[in-house]
Amino acid sequence: MNDEKKTKEQLINEIKKYRNLYSELEHHMADFNLMKPENKPFQDALQFLSPLVMELLNLPNESEIYDYILEKLQEVVKDAYIIISTYDEESDSLRVYKMIGTTSRMIDLAEKLTGVRINDLHFPRDKLDLEAKNFLSNGKLQKVDDGLYYITAGKLPQKTYNMLEKAFGVDKTYVMGFSLKGEMFGSVNIITKKNGKPLNINTVEPILNIASVVLQNKVAGKELKKRERLLSLVTDNMLNVVGQIDAEGTFQYISPSIKTILGYDPSEILGENVFQFINLTHPEDQIKVSTAFMGATNSYLPGEVQHRFRRADGSYIWVESLGNPLFDDENQYNGVVFSMTDINSLKAAEKNLKTSLEDKELLLRELHHRVKNNMQIISSLLNLQSQHIKDKRDLKIFKSSQTRVKTMSLIHEELYSSQDFSHIHLSKYIRNLTKELLTSNIGDPGRVQLTVNVEEIKMELETAIPLGLLINEIVANSVNHAFPNHRKGEIIVDLKRDGDAFVLKISDDGIGIPKKTDFEKAETLGFQLIKNLVNQLDGEIKMQTNHGTTFIIKFKELEYKKRF
């Protein structure tokens, strides 16, 4: 992009970048006494270094920076071999990039003596000990005593190094890493020759440190671009819309995915106020969305709301909006980051499921209604049949059977009128059951008082049916036998929890069961039914005959495997 085509914002950003780089460079130049006139003729140094900085900043990539540094080192370093190694991300190692000062004949000789191609020579970073890392990252050009042995990490026998140093006339070896703030991304080795000019460290160090600053900037820029590409890849292909709103409610960012999901171009949203965005919600949902947004903004707490949103083509889809407040370093409110997720298919599935459940509920309700009707028909048939029975004993059996059918019919009537088709509300059921027994079997129900004390308990159908039949048998027994000759009295039905069990207590203050009656051995149909029903509940029963008759049954709700 040409300068005249650059926006004001781009130019400002470039100025800031160069200002930061110069700040870094000035810091390093001060470290090496370049800014102290009493120690060094720094004007000459600045005259050399200033164009160097500008040239380096304008180089597009790292390889050109390394080549340029080699070129400048050749101008100030005489009678020396210079080796630059760069960081190879793929192998996580320092690899020889280029060598200058050598001839092809010398390289052939070195490769023949070592058995290793120079271009294949690399040094994994994880093999460098802490001392070596500190040595390479301290920003100093330092002389090493071990020469080639050190800079190649001792990969070859010492005799080989001695031969190489003798063959190439090696005098001193200097090493410095390209590093900044603990990050190392290359190194330079300067090997002086015997009888050559001495190395001027004060000239070389600033060049290498300036290169480190520029290289760090290039590496950071490359990493930033890599992250930006990754972020762009994610935001372009994400399945929801992500955005940021500042403290004034203005959109600062909206992910490109808004184009795919909602059909809007990001430029249509950026810079707009959030309430214009809220106006795109369905008219029936706008108050809900506005309330949720204002509530989250005022409370500084995360918020969420499901609503319909108008797409660019005018259609509406269901979305779930999640917002989270942002705060700056001083804990001041700085806006909101939010996401919108397309839940249209979820809502459609939810609607289908709801319809399906409603259909099943209707079917179950109808099923219980029909079972109740069928049992009422059976009860009516038993009643009609009983009109032709002359024997009192047989008539009593028919009447008892009719009562038991009614007891089960009441279960299905309760389920038919309930929202829960698998549990019975025992309080209502037991009251209706005992009231029906009393009014059906006693001509003057007022002479026998009925007291029902039942906790608010919901019980599964499989336990409720035998429990209802059990209550029916015991209460029917009291109604039919406890109060002969118009005797007055009271029947009490009490059901309560006892830990994870239940205790049912049914008592009357009637004439009581004859003392000779052995409940455990009794063969009457009523007592046999009571015992069978208690066994069906896996319960325990006790009978007391003081001041009337009392049955105490302790049981737990039965556990059944799910059928579906």
Side-chain angles (χ1 to χ4, degrees), residues 151-407:
I151 65 174
T152 57
K155 287 194 170 188
L156 305 172
Q158 185 64 56
K159 288 183 179 180
T160 304
Y161 291 117
N162 293 338
M163 291 173 63
L164 286 170
E165 289 178 357
K166 186 175 181 180
F168 296 155
V170 170
D171 184 18
K172 295 181 176 63
T173 302
Y174 298 85
V175 177
M176 181 174 169
F178 289 115
S179 67
L180 190 67
K181 298 177 182 177
E183 185 179 1
M184 186 171 65
F185 30 84
S187 68
V188 61
N189 303 295
I190 300 175
I191 306 166
T192 61
K193 302 176 184 177
K194 289 181 178 180
N195 303 320
K197 291 183 179 180
L199 183 67
N200 189 340
I201 293 177
N202 289 331
T203 302
V204 175
E205 266 185 7
I207 296 173
L208 298 179
N209 276 290
I210 290 169
S212 293
V213 173
V214 177
L215 279 168
Q216 195 273 342
N217 180 62
K218 292 292 182 184
V219 170
K222 188 169 68 173
E223 186 64 27
L224 180 61
K225 287 181 180 179
K226 181 180 177 182
R227 292 180 183 179
E228 286 176 348
R229 284 195 298 271
L230 180 60
L231 179 62
S232 178
L233 178 67
V234 172
T235 55
D236 285 351
N237 296 282
M238 65 194 339
L239 300 178
N240 58 349
V241 179
V242 176
Q244 181 190 346
I245 304 164
D246 65 17
E248 283 72 42
T250 303
F251 278 94
Q252 300 299 311
Y253 173 77
I254 195 78
S255 61
S257 54
I258 192 172
K259 183 71 175 178
T260 304
I261 297 171
L262 299 176
Y264 298 101
D265 193 89
S267 61
E268 299 178 65
I269 307 298
L270 290 174
E272 298 295 329
N273 188 274
V274 66
F275 286 104
Q276 290 181 277
F277 199 63
I278 290 175
N279 286 337
L280 295 173
T281 60
H282 194 282
E284 295 176 7
D285 299 335
Q286 284 184 10
I287 294 177
K288 176 173 65 172
V289 174
S290 297
T291 302
F293 176 77
M294 295 304 297
T297 302
N298 293 332
S299 64
Y300 300 147
L301 294 173
E304 63 180 87
V305 62
Q306 292 185 355
H307 59 96
R308 287 160 290 182
F309 196 88
R310 191 172 76 228
R311 300 184 79 254
D313 61 6
S315 63
Y316 284 94
I317 65 168
W318 276 97
V319 296
E320 182 176 56
S321 295
L322 304 174
N324 199 43
L326 295 172
F327 300 92
D328 60 21
D329 295 338
E330 297 176 357
N331 207 32
Q332 296 297 311
Y333 175 68
N334 205 23
V336 174
V337 63
F338 74 93
S339 70
M340 290 177 65
T341 304
D342 179 359
I343 59 169
N344 215 42
S345 58
L346 181 64
K347 280 292 182 180
E350 184 180 298
K351 183 179 179 181
N352 291 337
L353 179 61
K354 185 179 179 181
T355 302
S356 177
L357 285 173
E358 287 174 351
D359 290 344
K360 287 179 172 60
E361 286 179 4
L362 184 63
L363 182 62
L364 283 170
R365 198 181 299 278
E366 181 63 23
L367 178 63
H368 286 301
H369 180 61
R370 292 193 179 190
V371 170
K372 182 201 74 168
N373 288 345
N374 287 339
M375 287 188 170
Q376 286 180 340
I377 290 170
I378 294 169
S379 177
S380 298
L381 289 172
L382 289 172
N383 186 50
L384 288 171
Q385 188 68 34
S386 66
Q387 294 176 13
H388 302 284
I389 297 174
K390 305 301 180 183
D391 185 84
K392 290 185 178 180
R393 183 173 176 277
D394 291 343
L395 182 61
K396 187 176 180 181
I397 292 172
F398 262 75
K399 290 288 184 183
S400 296
S401 297
Q402 187 180 7
T403 302
R404 293 175 188 120
V405 171
K406 283 184 178 179
T407 299

Side-chain angles (χ1 to χ4, degrees), residues 94-96 111 116-123 155:
L94 294 175
R95 187 180 294 275
V96 172
E111 290 180 346
V116 179
R117 292 184 69 250
I118 298 300
N119 291 337
D120 293 336
L121 206 57
H122 68 282
F123 316 100
K155 287 194 170 188

Side-chain angles (χ1 to χ4, degrees), residues 490-514:
E490 181 182 18
I491 300 173
I492 301 173
V493 179
D494 185 90
L495 178 64
K496 62 182 179 181
R497 293 182 184 274
D498 183 18
D500 61 346
F502 300 92
V503 176
L504 173 66
K505 184 178 180 181
I506 304 176
S507 59
D508 65 64
D509 57 358
I511 61 175
I513 295 174

